[in-house]
Amino acid sequence: MEVTRKNYKDCLNTVYSAIEEADFLAIDGEFSGISDGPNVSALTNGLDTPEERYTKLKKHSMDFLLFQFGLCTFTYDQTKSKYITKPFNFYIFPKPFNRTSPDIKFICQSSSIDFLASQGFDFNKVFCHGIPYLNQEQEAQLREQTEERRNQHANGVGTPSYISPSSSKGPAHVPEEHRDFINRVIEKVEALFANSEKTLDLEPCTGFQRKLIYQTLNWKFPKGLHVETMETEKKERYIQVSKVDEEERRRREQQKLEREQEELNDAVGFSRVIHAISKSGKLVVGHNMLLDVMHTIHQFYCPLPEDLLDFKEVTMCVFPRLLDTKLMASTQPFKELITNTSLAELEKQLKESPFKSPQVGTAEGFPSYNTAQEQLHEAGYDAYITGLCFISMANYLGSFLTPPKAYISPRSKLIEPFFNKLFLMRIIDIPYLNITGPDLQPKRDHVLYVTFPKEWKTSDLYQLFSAFGNIQVSWIDDTSAFVSLSQTDQVQIAMNTSRYAESYRIQTYAEYIQGKQQEKEKLVQTAKTWGEDSWVKSHYTTSTGSSGFVYPRGLRKRSISPVQGEQEGGGDALITDGWSHYSYPDSTCNKKMKTDDASGQSNAEAVESKTSEGWLKTVGSSDSAAFTPIPDEEEIPEGTDPANNAEGTVTWQQAPTVHGRKGQKNKKKKSEAAETTPSLFEVPEVW
Amino acid sequence: MEVTRKNYKDCLNTVYSAIEEADFLAIDGEFSGISDGPNVSALTNGLDTPEERYTKLKKHSMDFLLFQFGLCTFTYDQTKSKYITKPFNFYIFPKPFNRTSPDIKFICQSSSIDFLASQGFDFNKVFCHGIPYLNQEQEAQLREQTEERRNQHANGVGTPSYISPSSSKGPAHVPEEHRDFINRVIEKVEALFANSEKTLDLEPCTGFQRKLIYQTLNWKFPKGLHVETMETEKKERYIQVSKVDEEERRRREQQKLEREQEELNDAVGFSRVIHAISKSGKLVVGHNMLLDVMHTIHQFYCPLPEDLLDFKEVTMCVFPRLLDTKLMASTQPFKELITNTSLAELEKQLKESPFKSPQVGTAEGFPSYNTAQEQLHEAGYDAYITGLCFISMANYLGSFLTPPKAYISPRSKLIEPFFNKLFLMRIIDIPYLNITGPDLQPKRDHVLYVTFPKEWKTSDLYQLFSAFGNIQVSWIDDTSAFVSLSQTDQVQIAMNTSRYAESYRIQTYAEYIQGKQQEKEKLVQTAKTWGEDSWVKSHYTTSTGSSGFVYPRGLRKRSISPVQGEQEGGGDALITDGWSHYSYPDSTCNKKMKTDDASGQSNAEAVESKTSEGWLKTVGSSDSAAFTPIPDEEEIPEGTDPANNAEGTVTWQQAPTVHGRKGQKNKKKKSEAAETTPSLFEVPEVW
């Protein structure tokens, strides 16, 4: 269902009840751009820390506009054994509410706009008929303003219940140059009292003059008048004065109050849909959804916090349960079966064996999507497809149960390991951002930080390290890159060799991090000297914090409705994670799953005890390419790789040998499975 | 005529010949926003210096996109005694040319977008079918890149004439992990030579792999092959290998060369129209055109220079002859007859006596505009209307001649005084930016700089200065404003009174300027310490330079085609200004104009000798309101005036008494006119 400013109010209740009845929700956003940074490969370095990535995305992506929001609700119909869907496609635009409301500026990136244009995106629907919105602070401000104005007027007309003690009852100060004008108005109003007309329209005038008129009339004629600002067709504002008795006056005041209230709700606009999603506490599914989540919070709740931990906290307030289908598809048992996790390809692969297309039907009154005719990059359609992918993958997990189940509910414990972990694009060794816990801290002692002249290309780095076998290059900027060696013991050799080099310089990853930390401290000190200058907002301010995990912090004062209490089905108890104690035989053989009945360990403990091990260690060599960041053309337009001045983009090289220690990991695994085959159903132990 | 990417190439010759045959051109631009500054009243302070205004506009307006460009050519048909018009309405969008070309980001301001939407603007035409463009540097870069790539390929295929001495003829270095892939390619090509097929399509692969393929094939098979990158429907790139004999190979190379050349011209796109306008040297007319000129240069030529003098220089290169109808309408003899200079109102007023609607017809094949049905804010229509206004005003000047002339050519000396002076919005005492000379330097010794708590409103300032009669308030920011007193001798009284004030502080304008100068010097010193940090780019860096006028400077190296040599009709001689020696009797009585035959003084001399007098002195008291900055709602959306938290915007107050010295001015005038009536046809003497 397409929703614009024109039909938004009529649709709102339909949206509300669709959310209320749903078993889960799928969302997707379309933006006016992805990154205003120099180029994508610099923006998404393969060895970013989660803090760095968050800071970059916040800095380089939040000034774009989320201008189309897709919501698809999925409700399971037990009797028909299928999901009923209600897809919505909202067009969003920050049309200024009035002349004092914020005049939002947003950036458009021509490649993104051009891409959407090529997909048949209707920009007129966005810009001419988009639904407005306010974040929580803007909403509060507007409500305050309205209240204040109401009080001012009320004081003027002298309704005793509204008079504030400080309000002056004397005549308004009319500047010299406006006296004639105001005197003419008074004469006209006096004439109105004398004649049989009911209303008097004054000529259009400035806001200042209108203010003078209000003040003067309220003082001169405390009773019997209703004064109101109207607008001509040409948008010129003028004052209408009406003769009224006391009852009529009150009735009109009341009407005005209600109208103002409604206008205010209209201004809050699309944010009300997000509030409803948030309050429902339902599982919200998205594909590669980090940017969607960031934009949604930034646009409809509050500017994003500086600090990643604060962002996680806010996210849990707004979306208490998230699931990212790209992360799910990139994880065991799916990652071996799914070669391409872009949404379109994923959807195709999940139609084939061993997966099954889910049974879905569109609710009555909703246009049904045809997945054969792709309508990708319409947010409503993408949300719909994302939901389908989730159902297929969830149901596939049911095939491991004894006895197998064909339908797995979104409330099933089988799904929980995927909750609140958002896919991190193109980070080599950290697959996801963990919203409800500490992030993975992979060892990077095989990584070198190399600086060199800006003429250097990827091939020069290959040349330099040709003695070390396979390397992996992650460009940082024109003159620096991370180089991952295949063996950690090569690091010292490389360091020794480079000691006398003049054109380039090598540091270990640890030295690099230390240097950044020092840089950060220097900056903070300088900032103290220089005050709040904007240049202080460095990338690095929050990126290198290595202090222990302190989430959840004490909630700070923030006007976000906490919805965690509204979670259904047992709240915290549900989040207890039994997943890491499962072990699976080779998924291509007989699929059986046994639960570790002895599992009494809470998820929190699991995190505590295993974080220092890092995620990487759990990846066997057969899976080494799993998170190799092959650019996903669907998600981010290819940037200009500094390594390539010819015609394409040099993609990162695969590293066929891996730093993991498979044997060690298998030893560690508390597996009860009979078969310990080389291709175990491997789940990162940190879960 | 609507011109988009679809019909652009077909229209280009029509556009060229329209420009070539025209007597003058009118232009107009529509932008994605006006100002990203805090609010318009802070952006356009009534007492800005021209340097400050330029710096502010550059800083706060250039990140918007000029996305619709209107051009209307006017050609006088002697036989029919009327102008023939050719209006064009170009939609502009920086569609990236290829994946290595700049990915432009631009800002949209929701109020501007919403305003255009309400006028029926078609955003889909812009974003889906807009014509691309490149500025001069981007064009040069792209040509270089193409040339480089061509040489690389040429070296590979071994065409002797293209081989550079340094090109390596050895085998390409193929990284380990690509060897299998490349070997398979070689096998396939060898098979191609053995079989009867003519071409071989390789599978899609990465840019890096394609580069390896090119290098390998060029080395292995120096003859008999043509290798080319193609694109599938899904935009995947693959390589096509064809067996060719030498002649065929050359033919194909030639075709490819031509295709590349054409693609390159397509990428330069709309900039070619601006180049043609520039080269023509024709008079270019606009309404309130400073932003149009700035955007046009910024988008299609080069990033705007830091310094105002450099901007003037660049402007003269791009548009050697400009005329601003808003400035013309605000100047004698028009300003007494025209009450509202917004384009729509001006057009209406110029249809009434004493003006005459110009005789115009639309050229065949062009859709004709109907001025009764307003299509304002479509750039093509606005350009058309602007041209009509110019003709009406120009012809009106002819009525002062003896004998009167009904038609005044755009080459007439009568028009020259209005050349290259661009209207400055809302500056109280400097009506225009003088592109070809020094700017006016009005005395501001009746102006006070006042700082106060941020709670203060305009009314508080009125209160504070209530003893001084009329004042004029120009807000700078939340806590400061300029207050203009009606009499200079009040300044000292105000200063004395304020000596012991605690809540506010008063400085003279001179003290304020001195303070800013010191601040600037401090910043420059700090900048030296801190290097090229962006925060150094202060507003004030170029705003207070009071050194003498040094234009024209020695031309710097800048790749802009100098077109001044192409001016028609006598070049410099034409620019000699006889205007200030004219004097006119009361325009409501018998209109006669006599030229000062003795005038041998050049315009430059006039400037030299009169600049110090300032423009203000030439305005008689009857004209005092002429440049009072009444907000022109058509041009800039009303901002949030800090003085007003109620419902409208407080407009600046008129100052009925004036600082001018009328008698003195009349004495100075070398008038030969018999009648020296009080309402002389007053032209700023600086002209």
Side-chain angles (χ1 to χ4, degrees):
Chain A
M1 182 181 281
E2 297 235 308
V3 192
T4 65
R5 197 160 67 227
K6 288 198 230 165
N7 63 346
Y8 173 68
K9 274 156 84 173
D10 299 334
C11 293
L12 204 51
N13 282 328
T14 312
V15 177
Y16 284 161
S17 59
I19 293 171
E20 198 135 317
E21 77 202 13
D23 288 288
F24 75 90
L25 313 171
I27 63 165
D28 180 63
E30 296 295 339
F31 316 118
S32 64
I34 301 286
S35 152
D36 67 353
N39 65 54
V40 173
S41 63
L43 188 71
T44 60
N45 186 286
L47 290 167
D48 279 337
T49 62
E51 288 80 7
E52 281 172 322
R53 178 60 59 85
Y54 170 72
T55 306
K56 283 186 196 174
L57 290 178
K58 174 174 144 47
K59 182 177 174 186
H60 292 295
S61 295
M62 289 303 112
D63 288 335
F64 298 107
L65 185 69
L66 191 175
F67 55 20
Q68 198 183 50
F69 190 95
L71 167 68
C72 189
T73 67
F74 289 79
T75 311
Y76 193 67
D77 185 334
Q78 294 280 1
T79 57
K80 292 179 187 151
S81 296
K82 69 174 186 181
Y83 276 103
I84 302 299
T85 65
K86 291 185 178 175
F88 299 91
N89 198 34
F90 299 93
Y91 290 84
I92 317 282
F93 181 73
K95 181 182 163 73
F97 170 63
N98 61 30
R99 289 189 292 181
T100 61
S101 66
D103 186 6
I104 304 289
K105 285 109 191 173
F106 56 92
I107 301 181
C108 292
Q109 183 175 12
S110 22
S111 59
S112 299
I113 296 290
D114 184 48
F115 175 76
L116 288 173
S118 74
Q119 303 288 315
F121 191 87
D122 190 337
F123 296 97
N124 284 338
K125 271 201 188 134
V126 167
F127 295 138
C128 305
H129 307 301
I131 310 161
Y133 61 86
L134 295 176
N135 70 22
Q136 299 226 329
E137 196 186 320
Q138 292 162 343
E139 181 185 345
Q141 236 166 40
L142 195 61
R143 290 196 191 278
E144 227 167 75
Q145 271 174 24
T146 309
E147 194 60 33
E148 206 173 279
R149 199 170 59 237
R150 197 178 288 156
N151 286 343
Q152 276 181 2
H153 286 189
N155 287 342
V157 287
T159 313
S161 63
Y162 281 117
I163 289 185
S164 82
S166 63
S167 74
S168 145
K169 303 268 286 182
H173 170 74
V174 179
E176 183 69 37
E177 63 272 29
H178 291 295
R179 295 225 176 116
D180 281 355
F181 175 79
I182 292 296
N183 286 337
R184 280 200 305 278
V185 169
I186 294 173
E187 278 165 28
K188 279 182 195 164
V189 174
E190 279 166 347
L192 176 70
F193 273 112
N195 68 25
S196 60
E197 300 286 326
K198 271 217 72 171
T199 64
L200 163 70
D201 290 347
L202 299 177
E203 61 198 294
C205 59
T206 66
F208 184 68
Q209 288 173 320
R210 288 200 301 278
K211 194 178 169 183
L212 292 176
I213 294 174
Y214 268 104
Q215 289 173 341
T216 307
L217 294 187
N218 286 337
W219 171 70
K220 278 237 173 211
F221 309 98
K223 283 199 173 170
L225 279 190
H226 175 81
V227 184
E228 193 166 348
T229 301
M230 315 289 272
E231 211 166 58
T232 67
E233 275 177 23
K234 285 181 186 169
K235 302 268 175 192
E236 293 168 327
R237 294 180 159 216
Y238 68 94
I239 278 183
Q240 189 180 65
V241 184
S242 314
K243 282 191 291 197
V244 288
D245 58 24
E246 190 58 9
E247 191 184 336
E248 171 75 2
R249 199 187 58 72
R250 279 178 202 278
R251 207 182 54 72
R252 291 209 186 195
E253 287 291 324
Q254 188 55 33
Q255 273 180 355
K256 196 174 160 190
L257 223 113
E258 283 161 17
R259 210 165 47 236
E260 276 178 1
Q261 202 56 43
E262 199 183 328
E263 280 171 7
L264 233 143
N265 284 338
D266 291 352
V268 177
F270 181 72
S271 304
R272 298 169 77 190
V273 172
I274 301 298
H275 299 165
I277 294 175
S278 179
K279 272 196 198 133
S280 79
K282 302 267 164 93
L283 174 65
V284 173
V285 175
H287 189 81
N288 200 10
M289 72 193 304
L290 178 54
L291 267 183
D292 298 279
V293 169
M294 288 178 73
H295 266 288
T296 303
I297 292 174
H298 185 75
Q299 210 159 299
F300 308 117
Y301 276 88
C302 59
L304 291 182
E306 280 301 307
D307 193 79
L308 177 60
L309 290 181
D310 290 338
F311 168 70
K312 290 181 176 185
E313 194 181 305
V314 174
T315 303
M316 275 301 99
C317 287
V318 179
F319 295 116
R321 228 176 300 165
L322 292 167
L323 186 144
D324 190 328
T325 47
K326 192 171 179 88
L327 192 262
M328 194 171 180
S330 310
T331 311
Q332 294 290 19
F334 303 102
K335 75 173 173 187
E336 286 183 352
L337 303 162
I338 291 161
T339 50
N340 183 332
T341 61
S342 81
L343 184 57
E345 289 304 312
L346 179 61
E347 195 260 333
K348 273 182 212 152
Q349 291 175 68
L350 291 175
K351 279 178 176 167
E352 310 289 334
S353 177
F355 306 105
K356 288 195 192 86
S357 284
Q359 295 298 308
V360 289
T362 314
E364 224 177 290
F366 286 79
S368 59
Y369 287 119
N370 179 354
T371 59
Q373 267 190 323
E374 296 186 8
Q375 288 161 281
L376 279 164
H377 304 290
E378 194 216 70
Y381 180 80
D382 282 6
Y384 170 71
I385 293 296
T386 301
L388 296 188
C389 290
F390 167 67
I391 297 169
S392 290
M393 290 193 284
N395 288 347
Y396 177 71
L397 292 179
S399 65
F400 292 98
L401 292 175
T402 331
K405 279 175 76 175
Y407 164 69
I408 293 297
S409 145
R411 289 173 198 80
S412 163
K413 277 183 186 295
L414 288 176
I415 314 297
E416 283 170 23
F418 301 101
F419 280 176
N420 299 325
K421 297 181 173 67
L422 305 189
F423 187 74
L424 282 175
M425 292 270 291
R426 309 182 190 199
I427 295 190
I428 294 169
D429 50 10
I430 311 176
Y432 59 84
L433 185 71
N434 188 9
I435 300 291
T436 42
D439 283 305
L440 301 164
Q441 296 197 328
K443 270 197 175 154
R444 287 178 176 174
D445 48 14
H446 62 297
V447 176
L448 298 171
Y449 172 72
V450 191
T451 50
F452 40 78
K454 70 170 183 295
E455 290 74 24
W456 279 34
K457 289 167 191 161
T458 305
S459 56
D460 295 298
L461 288 167
Y462 277 110
Q463 197 78 45
L464 183 63
F465 291 95
S466 53
F468 296 100
N470 274 310
I471 60 161
Q472 190 165 332
V473 175
S474 307
W475 284 87
I476 297 168
D477 54 33
D478 269 9
T479 61
S480 65
F482 291 122
V483 172
S484 306
L485 305 179
S486 51
Q487 276 150 21
T488 303
D489 51 20
Q490 294 174 338
V491 164
Q492 202 47 52
I493 305 171
M495 294 294 293
N496 292 342
T497 317
S498 73
R499 194 159 294 157
Y500 305 106
E502 283 180 1
S503 60
Y504 66 94
R505 189 172 155 236
I506 296 183
Q507 286 183 290
T508 64
Y509 185 79
E511 285 168 354
Y512 164 74
I513 289 291
Q514 203 184 349
K516 277 217 317 187
Q517 184 66 32
Q518 283 165 359
E519 200 176 291
K520 176 191 151 190
E521 279 160 18
K522 219 191 293 174
L523 269 178
V524 170
Q525 281 189 325
T526 321
K528 281 181 192 155
T529 321
W530 279 94
E532 295 190 326
D533 267 307
S534 64
W535 59 269
V536 172
K537 289 175 196 157
S538 148
H539 287 203
Y540 305 127
T541 312
T542 63
S543 60
T544 54
S546 54
S547 56
F549 187 65
V550 292
Y551 180 84
R553 296 174 158 200
L555 268 169
R556 305 193 181 167
K557 271 193 190 174
R558 199 179 280 124
S559 56
I560 284 177
S561 4
V563 291
Q564 287 171 314
E566 299 183 42
Q567 288 175 16
E568 298 142 62
D572 284 353
L574 246 182
I575 294 168
T576 308
D577 184 359
W579 189 253
S580 53
H581 309 293
Y582 296 171
S583 97
Y584 299 84
D586 187 344
S587 57
T588 54
C589 310
N590 48 338
K591 292 162 192 160
K592 294 279 172 242
M593 189 168 77
K594 300 175 184 178
T595 50
D596 181 350
D597 295 327
S599 158
Q601 225 177 352
S602 80
N603 187 37
E605 281 175 87
V607 165
E608 287 287 331
S609 59
K610 287 168 188 168
T611 304
S612 61
E613 303 295 328
W615 177 86
L616 245 193
K617 293 183 186 168
T618 70
V619 182
S621 59
S622 62
D623 307 310
S624 62
F627 285 107
T628 303
I630 298 149
D632 181 342
E633 312 227 348
E634 185 237 341
E635 317 291 342
I636 287 200
E638 273 183 59
T640 315
D641 191 305
N644 169 44
N645 65 353
E647 46 177 333
T649 297
V650 176
T651 58
W652 289 321
Q653 308 305 313
Q654 285 197 356
T657 49
V658 160
H659 0 283
R661 297 141 205 175
K662 203 184 74 190
Q664 200 180 331
K665 171 214 61 193
N666 282 342
K667 263 177 264 156
K668 280 197 180 179
K669 209 153 203 177
K670 301 185 210 158
S671 169
E672 291 189 8
E675 320 88 342
T676 8
T677 65
S679 54
L680 271 180
F681 180 151
E682 281 155 332
V683 179
E685 278 189 287
V686 74
W687 291 358
Chain B
M1 183 181 283
E2 296 235 309
V3 192
T4 66
R5 196 160 70 228
K6 291 197 234 168
N7 64 345
Y8 174 68
K9 274 157 83 173
D10 299 334
C11 293
L12 204 51
N13 282 330
T14 313
V15 177
Y16 286 161
S17 60
I19 293 171
E20 198 134 317
E21 79 202 10
D23 288 285
F24 74 94
L25 313 171
I27 64 165
D28 180 62
E30 296 295 337
F31 316 117
S32 65
I34 301 285
S35 152
D36 67 353
N39 65 55
V40 172
S41 63
L43 189 72
T44 60
N45 186 287
L47 290 165
D48 279 338
T49 63
E51 288 83 5
E52 281 172 321
R53 178 59 60 86
Y54 170 72
T55 306
K56 284 186 195 175
L57 290 178
K58 173 173 146 46
K59 181 177 174 189
H60 292 294
S61 294
M62 288 305 111
D63 288 334
F64 298 105
L65 185 70
L66 192 173
F67 55 21
Q68 198 183 48
F69 190 95
L71 166 68
C72 189
T73 66
F74 289 81
T75 311
Y76 194 67
D77 184 333
Q78 295 280 0
T79 57
K80 292 181 187 153
S81 296
K82 69 174 184 180
Y83 274 105
I84 302 299
T85 65
K86 293 184 178 177
F88 300 90
N89 198 35
F90 300 93
Y91 290 84
I92 317 285
F93 181 73
K95 182 182 163 75
F97 170 63
N98 61 28
R99 289 187 295 180
T100 61
S101 66
D103 186 6
I104 303 288
K105 283 110 193 172
F106 57 91
I107 301 181
C108 292
Q109 183 173 15
S110 22
S111 58
S112 300
I113 296 291
D114 184 50
F115 175 76
L116 289 173
S118 74
Q119 304 286 315
F121 190 88
D122 191 338
F123 296 96
N124 284 338
K125 271 200 187 135
V126 167
F127 296 138
C128 305
H129 308 301
I131 310 159
Y133 60 88
L134 295 176
N135 71 24
Q136 300 226 327
E137 197 187 319
Q138 292 162 343
E139 180 184 347
Q141 238 166 35
L142 194 63
R143 290 197 190 278
E144 229 167 70
Q145 270 175 24
T146 308
E147 194 60 36
E148 208 172 275
R149 199 171 59 235
R150 196 177 288 154
N151 286 343
Q152 275 181 0
H153 286 189
N155 287 343
V157 288
T159 313
S161 63
Y162 280 119
I163 289 185
S164 81
S166 63
S167 75
S168 145
K169 302 268 284 179
H173 168 75
V174 178
E176 181 71 35
E177 64 271 26
H178 291 294
R179 295 224 175 116
D180 281 357
F181 175 82
I182 292 296
N183 286 337
R184 282 199 305 276
V185 168
I186 293 172
E187 279 166 30
K188 281 182 194 165
V189 173
E190 279 165 349
L192 176 70
F193 274 111
N195 68 28
S196 62
E197 299 288 326
K198 272 219 71 174
T199 64
L200 163 69
D201 289 346
L202 300 176
E203 57 196 299
C205 58
T206 66
F208 185 68
Q209 289 173 319
R210 289 200 299 278
K211 195 176 169 184
L212 292 176
I213 296 174
Y214 269 106
Q215 290 174 342
T216 306
L217 295 187
N218 288 337
W219 171 69
K220 279 239 170 206
F221 310 100
K223 281 199 172 164
L225 279 190
H226 174 81
V227 184
E228 192 165 351
T229 300
M230 314 291 271
E231 210 167 61
T232 67
E233 273 178 22
K234 285 182 187 170
K235 303 272 175 189
E236 293 168 327
R237 294 179 159 217
Y238 67 94
I239 278 182
Q240 189 177 66
V241 185
S242 315
K243 284 190 290 199
V244 288
D245 59 20
E246 191 58 12
E247 190 184 332
E248 170 75 1
R249 200 188 59 70
R250 277 180 203 279
R251 205 182 54 74
R252 289 211 189 194
E253 286 292 325
Q254 188 55 35
Q255 272 179 357
K256 196 173 157 188
L257 224 111
E258 281 162 17
R259 211 167 44 236
E260 277 178 359
Q261 201 56 45
E262 200 182 327
E263 279 171 8
L264 231 143
N265 284 338
D266 290 352
V268 178
F270 181 72
S271 304
R272 299 168 77 190
V273 172
I274 302 297
H275 299 165
I277 293 175
S278 179
K279 271 195 199 131
S280 78
K282 300 266 164 95
L283 174 65
V284 173
V285 174
H287 189 81
N288 199 11
M289 72 192 305
L290 177 54
L291 267 182
D292 298 279
V293 169
M294 288 176 74
H295 266 287
T296 303
I297 292 174
H298 184 76
Q299 209 160 297
F300 309 117
Y301 276 86
C302 60
L304 292 181
E306 280 300 308
D307 193 81
L308 177 61
L309 289 181
D310 290 337
F311 168 70
K312 290 181 176 185
E313 195 181 302
V314 174
T315 303
M316 276 301 98
C317 287
V318 179
F319 294 116
R321 225 176 303 165
L322 292 167
L323 184 143
D324 190 328
T325 47
K326 193 172 178 84
L327 193 264
M328 194 170 180
S330 311
T331 311
Q332 293 291 16
F334 302 104
K335 73 173 173 187
E336 283 182 356
L337 302 163
I338 291 161
T339 50
N340 183 334
T341 61
S342 80
L343 182 57
E345 290 304 311
L346 179 61
E347 194 260 336
K348 273 183 213 153
Q349 290 175 69
L350 291 175
K351 279 177 174 167
E352 311 290 332
S353 173
F355 305 105
K356 286 195 194 88
S357 282
Q359 293 299 306
V360 289
T362 314
E364 224 176 292
F366 286 79
S368 60
Y369 286 118
N370 178 353
T371 58
Q373 267 189 319
E374 296 185 8
Q375 288 161 281
L376 279 164
H377 304 288
E378 195 214 69
Y381 180 80
D382 281 6
Y384 170 71
I385 293 296
T386 301
L388 297 190
C389 290
F390 167 68
I391 298 169
S392 290
M393 290 193 284
N395 288 349
Y396 177 70
L397 292 179
S399 66
F400 293 97
L401 293 173
T402 328
K405 278 176 75 177
Y407 165 69
I408 293 297
S409 149
R411 292 172 196 79
S412 161
K413 277 182 187 292
L414 286 178
I415 314 296
E416 283 169 25
F418 300 100
F419 279 176
N420 299 326
K421 296 183 173 69
L422 305 189
F423 187 73
L424 283 174
M425 292 269 291
R426 308 182 190 201
I427 295 190
I428 293 169
D429 49 10
I430 311 176
Y432 60 83
L433 185 72
N434 189 9
I435 300 292
T436 41
D439 283 305
L440 302 165
Q441 295 197 327
K443 268 199 178 156
R444 288 179 175 174
D445 48 13
H446 62 297
V447 176
L448 298 171
Y449 172 70
V450 190
T451 51
F452 40 79
K454 70 172 183 297
E455 289 74 24
W456 279 36
K457 293 169 187 156
T458 306
S459 56
D460 294 300
L461 289 167
Y462 276 111
Q463 196 77 46
L464 183 65
F465 292 95
S466 53
F468 297 101
N470 276 309
I471 61 163
Q472 191 164 331
V473 176
S474 307
W475 283 86
I476 298 166
D477 54 32
D478 270 8
T479 60
S480 64
F482 291 122
V483 172
S484 307
L485 304 179
S486 50
Q487 275 150 27
T488 303
D489 51 21
Q490 294 172 337
V491 164
Q492 203 45 52
I493 305 171
M495 295 294 292
N496 292 342
T497 317
S498 76
R499 192 160 296 157
Y500 304 106
E502 284 180 0
S503 59
Y504 66 95
R505 189 169 155 237
I506 297 182
Q507 288 183 289
T508 63
Y509 185 81
E511 285 166 354
Y512 163 76
I513 288 290
Q514 202 184 350
K516 279 216 317 191
Q517 185 66 33
Q518 283 166 359
E519 200 177 291
K520 177 189 152 190
E521 279 160 17
K522 222 191 290 174
L523 271 177
V524 170
Q525 279 188 326
T526 321
K528 279 179 191 157
T529 320
W530 280 95
E532 291 191 327
D533 269 305
S534 63
W535 59 269
V536 172
K537 289 174 194 158
S538 150
H539 289 205
Y540 306 129
T541 312
T542 63
S543 59
T544 54
S546 53
S547 57
F549 187 65
V550 292
Y551 180 87
R553 297 173 158 200
L555 267 170
R556 309 198 177 159
K557 270 191 190 172
R558 196 180 281 126
S559 58
I560 285 177
S561 4
V563 290
Q564 288 172 315
E566 299 184 40
Q567 288 177 15
E568 299 141 62
D572 284 353
L574 244 181
I575 293 169
T576 308
D577 184 359
W579 188 255
S580 53
H581 309 293
Y582 295 172
S583 98
Y584 299 85
D586 186 343
S587 58
T588 53
C589 309
N590 47 338
K591 295 165 191 156
K592 295 275 172 241
M593 187 165 80
K594 299 177 183 179
T595 50
D596 181 352
D597 293 328
S599 158
Q601 222 178 353
S602 80
N603 188 36
E605 282 176 88
V607 165
E608 287 287 332
S609 59
K610 287 173 189 165
T611 304
S612 61
E613 302 295 331
W615 177 84
L616 247 194
K617 294 185 186 166
T618 68
V619 181
S621 60
S622 61
D623 307 311
S624 60
F627 285 105
T628 304
I630 297 152
D632 182 340
E633 312 228 348
E634 187 239 340
E635 315 290 343
I636 288 200
E638 271 182 58
T640 313
D641 191 305
N644 170 41
N645 64 354
E647 46 177 332
T649 298
V650 176
T651 58
W652 289 318
Q653 308 306 315
Q654 284 198 0
T657 49
V658 162
H659 357 282
R661 297 142 206 173
K662 203 184 76 189
Q664 199 178 334
K665 170 212 64 196
N666 281 342
K667 263 178 260 153
K668 282 196 176 178
K669 209 154 203 174
K670 302 185 208 157
S671 167
E672 291 193 9
E675 320 92 339
T676 7
T677 63
S679 52
L680 271 180
F681 180 150
E682 281 154 332
V683 179
E685 279 188 288
V686 71
W687 291 356

